[in-house]
Amino acid sequence: MATILIVEDDKNTQLLTAARLKPHFHVVCANDGLEALDKLHTQSIDLVIADVMMPRMDGYSLLKTLRAEQRHTPVLLLTAKQSFEDKREGFSAGTDDYMTKPIDYEELMWRINALLRRSQIASERKIVIGSIAVDSAAYSVIMDGKTIELPKKEFELLFKLLSYPNMIFTRNQLLNDIWGFDSESGEDTIKTHISRLRNKLKDCKEFEVVTIKGLGYKAEIREGRKP
């Protein structure tokens, strides 16, 4: 059972969130960032859910400290701060996801499970779907016993899409995640890389990269296959 650390100074929110998660996870609580660091340094934590506005050490400072310590524990910021600037600060500090209050607990469960799955993929550095293995250590796809080596950006694009099956990513999201915010590459770059991936994986029976008109792309797992 995964261990979730809830970092929240509002006792009512902390207790309610813990009560909602306890049937599914082992839950640990902290009242601020400093207390959270103590727990992270002494316990095995699989995921952190942190408020932003807290005494002594806020959520942003907690995030920056964790990333400075080279800790890659997934972090979900759960906060009433919902402006674009607030979200940008959170993602710049190293958060993996961001939800605004009031909390929709069904959505929170979806996001937790997605982050835990993504964390497992990152630690194993491999995605297996049916008979296909996508190996980030070798930047390769093994299909029908044959190894298909991919250029770095093509591989990262494929790995991103397969890490979140059926989730739609806009072209801008993919550009920012894979090429970086400061990249001069445009949407044509994504189209070109998607076209190359499709050509190289045209015989793949386990999944396909689907264009969602007007939105972007997703990796669709074919019926009967499990990632």
Side-chain angles (χ1 to χ4, degrees), residues 83-221:
S83 73
F84 177 81
E85 292 300 322
D86 293 325
K87 293 178 182 179
R88 181 166 65 180
E89 184 172 358
F91 282 106
S92 297
T95 192
D96 297 276
D97 205 350
Y98 194 110
M99 277 187 68
T100 54
K101 298 176 181 177
I103 304 167
D104 181 319
Y105 284 98
E106 183 176 5
E107 181 182 355
L108 179 61
M109 285 295 301
W110 297 341
R111 290 175 181 266
I112 289 172
N113 287 326
L115 286 172
L116 289 173
R117 180 178 174 277
R118 182 69 184 87
S119 179
Q120 181 181 11
I121 288 171
S123 64
E124 294 177 352
R125 304 180 68 191
K126 182 180 290 187
I127 299 173
V128 178
I129 304 171
S131 62
I132 288 184
V134 183
D135 187 352
S136 66
Y139 287 94
S140 65
V141 177
I142 300 173
M143 182 172 64
D144 297 329
K146 299 178 181 179
T147 300
I148 303 171
E149 294 184 356
L150 299 174
K152 186 173 186 291
K153 294 301 185 186
E154 285 181 30
F155 182 87
E156 289 177 350
L157 179 58
L158 178 64
F159 201 86
K160 178 76 173 182
L161 293 170
L162 288 177
S163 294
Y164 302 90
N166 299 314
M167 180 181 290
I168 299 170
F169 289 91
T170 66
R171 295 181 181 90
N172 281 335
Q173 282 178 310
L174 294 171
L175 278 170
N176 291 338
D177 289 348
I178 296 169
W179 278 265
F181 286 95
D182 300 327
S183 173
E184 295 181 0
S185 298
E187 292 188 0
D188 285 344
T189 299
I190 297 291
K191 292 178 182 178
T192 299
H193 282 70
I194 290 288
S195 178
R196 290 173 179 168
L197 278 174
R198 284 174 172 158
N199 185 55
K200 292 174 182 178
L201 301 173
K202 60 186 177 182
D203 296 325
C204 175
K205 299 179 178 63
E206 274 74 8
F207 64 86
E208 65 177 319
V209 177
V210 178
T211 300
I212 308 301
K213 190 174 181 180
L215 291 175
Y217 303 95
K218 69 175 181 176
E220 189 171 277
I221 309 301

Side-chain angles (χ1 to χ4, degrees), residues 30-48:
N31 298 308
D32 57 50
L34 287 178
E35 189 176 329
L37 282 177
D38 287 340
K39 294 184 183 295
L40 283 157
H41 291 156
T42 58
Q43 301 181 43
S44 177
I45 303 294
D46 296 297
L47 184 142
V48 177

